[in-house]
Amino acid sequence: AVLTGLNHLWKLGLGKRELMAVGESLGADIPFCILGGTGIIRGKGEQIELLPTPDELWFVIVTLPDRVNTTRAYARFDQLTETTGARDAGFCDAGSYDTAVHVTDVTSGMVRALGAGRVQDIADRLTNDLERSAISIVPSIARAKEALLAAGAVGVGMSGSGPTVFGIADSRTKAEAICGALKLSSGAFKEVFVCKAVPQGVACARVPDAGAGH
């Protein structure tokens, strides 16, 4: 958002690809955040293959008071991999680890689901290899996922290295109902809010006059 804003403020005229190149030197996530939408990320974050974004894909985001140090999460993942021999595997639920699911199969299945726009199929293919290691550090991640499912989410997952988790819904009404239920049922969450998948990244809106808001 800062890069996009400065480009607009200083009238630099940089395109998205140029901003992505600048962002690549600052952090692996930034190129994708500038481009936005839905995609497959390769390399160290600079190689992005865009995919379709479904029209009605809603998320209920749950943040937790605890934190997960990313370095520690990766170190714990390596420890668990050495112990179990499970790499490139997917999660079936908050507590189980399915070593039979290979990351390539999961990715191709997700690409097909996104192309078809079927929210349930997308939800069924959520995986995150760091989930098991993050849960071993912050067990409340699993409880937050269970709470989302109990409130009606069609699928749940963990974002990045955690501890933020999310539930998927196929309409704003359902997402807001899940959000409301979680806010009422538990004081263990730091924040609970709703957002929607959008097919673009950060954009600067032109404001007609100073009093019109932004």
Side-chain angles (χ1 to χ4, degrees), residues 15-212:
K16 280 193 174 183
R17 292 292 173 181
E18 293 170 298
L19 285 175
M20 288 166 64
V22 175
E24 183 185 339
S25 67
L26 301 173
D29 295 338
I30 296 178
F32 176 73
C33 289
I34 291 171
L35 193 60
T38 305
I40 298 175
I41 314 303
R42 297 186 176 90
K44 61 181 180 181
E46 80 285 2
Q47 300 173 30
I48 303 168
E49 176 188 345
L50 286 177
L51 299 171
T53 300
D55 293 332
E56 288 298 320
L57 183 57
W58 292 82
F59 299 89
V60 180
I61 312 296
V62 178
T63 66
L64 302 173
D66 300 306
R67 297 180 65 84
V68 175
N69 179 280
T70 303
T71 302
R72 186 183 176 194
Y74 274 97
R76 182 64 178 146
F77 173 81
D78 289 339
Q79 291 172 359
L80 293 170
T81 301
E82 290 173 3
T83 302
T84 63
R87 185 176 288 275
D88 290 338
F91 285 87
C92 292
D93 54 47
S96 67
Y97 196 65
D98 182 4
T99 58
V101 181
H102 192 274
V103 66
T104 303
D105 299 326
V106 171
T107 302
S108 60
M110 180 63 83
V111 170
R112 289 194 298 272
L114 286 165
R118 291 190 290 265
V119 174
Q120 185 62 65
D121 288 350
I122 294 168
D124 289 342
R125 287 164 173 78
L126 295 173
T127 65
N128 185 336
D129 283 353
L130 286 177
E131 206 166 290
R132 187 170 61 143
S133 60
I135 288 173
S136 73
I137 299 168
V138 180
S140 56
I141 293 171
R143 293 193 289 272
K145 290 180 64 181
E146 291 165 359
L148 281 162
L149 288 171
V154 296
V156 293
M158 184 185 78
S159 176
S161 57
T164 299
V165 298
F166 61 89
I168 286 183
D170 59 6
S171 72
R172 179 173 183 169
T173 299
K174 292 179 182 177
E176 290 180 343
I178 295 167
C179 181
L182 262 63
K183 285 182 176 180
L184 288 174
S185 66
S186 174
F189 308 134
K190 184 178 179 181
E191 293 178 298
V192 183
F193 57 93
V194 171
C195 66
K196 185 179 188 293
V198 293
Q200 70 276 336
V202 177
C204 287
R206 294 190 178 277
V207 182
D209 59 74

